[in-house]
Amino acid sequence: MKIVFLDSAIINPGDISWEGIETLGTFENYKRSTCREALERLQDADAAFTDSFPIDREIMEKCPKLKFIGIAATGFNHIDLEAAKELGIAVANVPAYAANAVAQHAMALLLALTNQVEVYNNAVGKGEWRQSKDYTFIKTPLTLLAGKSIGIVGYGDIGSKVAQMAEAFGMKVNIYSRDKEAAIKSDVVSLNCPLTKENAGMVNAEFITQMKDGAILINTARGGLVDEAALADALKSGKLAGAGLDVLSSEPPAEDNPLVGLENCYITPHIGFIPIEARTVVIETCGANLKSFIEGGNLNRVV
């Protein structure tokens, strides 16, 4: 069996063993692939793995030996599932592997905004504490989370973990699917839902208008959930106190992205899933999924 990984640069840059996949056949690992390269590399492949590289109907039809597609992630919107089903190609993903990691990152973004650790660390490094006449100094206000509310949009594996962590800080949790108004009116709104055609751009000017004045938006889900121009306007006007984002509408961001550089908008480069513990689960599960397929099983099959 020939196995090809098309884009392993992020999910496994070399710090995790490939043993679970290598033992199943002849393994070819590529950090990145262009569309042309993908077609060449998959020509005689029996199984393909992809992190974010899109595999569409054209690729499937031009690679007749392909019988298995393994997604090194949870989301599968970059795979043409309908074509895979028609062509008899099995597709398997890695469900819920990053729930703890992404929830932790959501809270890290929230704490960055409420506790301003970076601001104070930089100030100390510049000598501002040494120059203080008192034992401390106040450079920017801090916010206590205990007693505040958080609206969870998407109460799945990640959303429920965010809720647990927020409750540990003494926050009141409002779940969007149960009470939309309470969730939207919360002190913090955290997006943890998948991106669909129905909810694309859901956090738009109208949604933001309904939010509490001075609220914080956290998005560790998908950038397409947010109308970035509307969010930028709300951050500039003070309607929202801040935003913590691990995802943007285009990644890397376009040069004219209105959110990049805003003082009250903290952005990280889609790293919520990056802890090695989470990525190790991905690689091990990819191997287990393919092994199950070879043995006639259906582990983590989506098609």
Side-chain angles (χ1 to χ4, degrees):
M1 168 174 277
K2 180 179 176 180
I3 308 162
V4 176
F5 204 125
L6 292 171
D7 59 338
S8 66
I10 300 301
I11 203 68
N12 185 6
D15 53 355
I16 303 170
S17 171
W18 291 110
E19 183 179 1
I21 297 176
E22 289 175 328
T23 58
L24 300 174
T26 303
F27 181 50
E28 294 183 6
N29 174 37
Y30 300 97
K31 297 298 183 185
R32 298 170 188 84
S33 298
T34 64
C35 289
R36 180 182 60 79
E37 289 171 337
L39 280 170
E40 292 174 355
R41 293 165 178 174
L42 294 179
Q43 270 305 297
D44 57 348
D46 302 285
F49 282 102
T50 171
D51 176 12
S52 60
F53 186 90
I55 300 182
D56 58 15
R57 180 182 292 272
E58 180 183 4
I59 291 177
M60 295 180 202
E61 290 179 341
K62 290 183 177 180
C63 301
K65 288 190 66 180
L66 191 63
K67 293 301 176 187
F68 175 89
I69 297 173
I71 305 169
T74 300
F76 41 79
N77 57 306
H78 57 306
I79 308 298
D80 189 334
L81 298 182
E82 183 178 342
K85 187 174 183 179
E86 289 179 14
L87 297 169
I89 300 174
V91 181
N93 71 340
V94 184
Y97 77 94
N100 282 310
V102 176
Q104 177 179 312
H105 196 69
M107 297 309 295
L109 288 168
L110 178 56
L111 289 169
L113 288 159
T114 59
N115 284 60
Q116 297 289 301
V117 172
E118 181 184 8
V119 171
Y120 278 96
N121 178 64
N122 290 341
V124 171
K126 293 175 182 177
E128 292 184 35
W129 198 5
R130 290 195 303 271
Q131 298 166 12
S132 175
K133 295 180 180 180
D134 304 303
Y135 64 87
T136 187
F137 64 96
I138 299 174
K139 188 174 183 68
T140 185
L142 305 185
T143 302
L144 186 66
L145 291 178
K148 299 294 192 300
S149 57
I150 182 169
I152 307 291
V153 183
Y155 197 64
D157 293 308
I158 296 173
S160 59
K161 290 289 184 183
V162 171
Q164 290 175 16
M165 294 179 185
E167 287 177 334
F169 281 108
M171 301 185 75
K172 180 180 186 292
V173 172
N174 296 315
I175 301 170
Y176 183 80
S177 59
R178 301 176 187 173
D179 190 337
K180 289 186 179 182
E181 184 176 355
I184 294 174
K185 294 288 187 182
S186 298
D187 297 294
V188 179
V189 174
S190 178
L191 304 181
N192 307 106
C193 55
L195 175 64
T196 66
K197 292 179 180 179
E198 291 72 30
N199 66 14
M202 67 176 290
V203 181
N204 53 22
E206 181 183 355
F207 185 102
I208 293 170
T209 298
Q210 299 174 62
M211 291 177 68
K212 187 175 183 178
D213 290 347
I216 290 173
L217 177 72
I218 302 294
N219 186 11
T220 54
R222 288 292 182 267
L225 295 167
V226 177
D227 179 332
E228 293 175 339
L231 176 57
D233 288 343
L235 291 169
K236 291 175 183 176
S237 69
K239 165 63 179 176
L240 297 185
L245 313 172
D246 188 44
V247 288
L248 293 174
S249 59
S250 60
E251 298 171 351
E255 190 173 343
D256 61 350
N257 188 294
L259 295 168
V260 176
L262 293 185
E263 193 171 297
N264 54 346
C265 186
Y266 282 38
I267 303 174
T268 52
H270 204 145
I271 57 171
F273 68 99
I274 285 296
I276 190 171
E277 296 87 350
R279 291 184 293 107
T280 297
V281 171
V282 173
I283 301 306
E284 291 177 349
T285 306
C286 281
N289 288 347
L290 179 54
K291 185 173 187 292
S292 173
F293 170 74
I294 293 170
E295 296 174 348
N298 296 300
L299 184 63
N300 296 317
R301 286 274 294 271
V302 293
V303 168

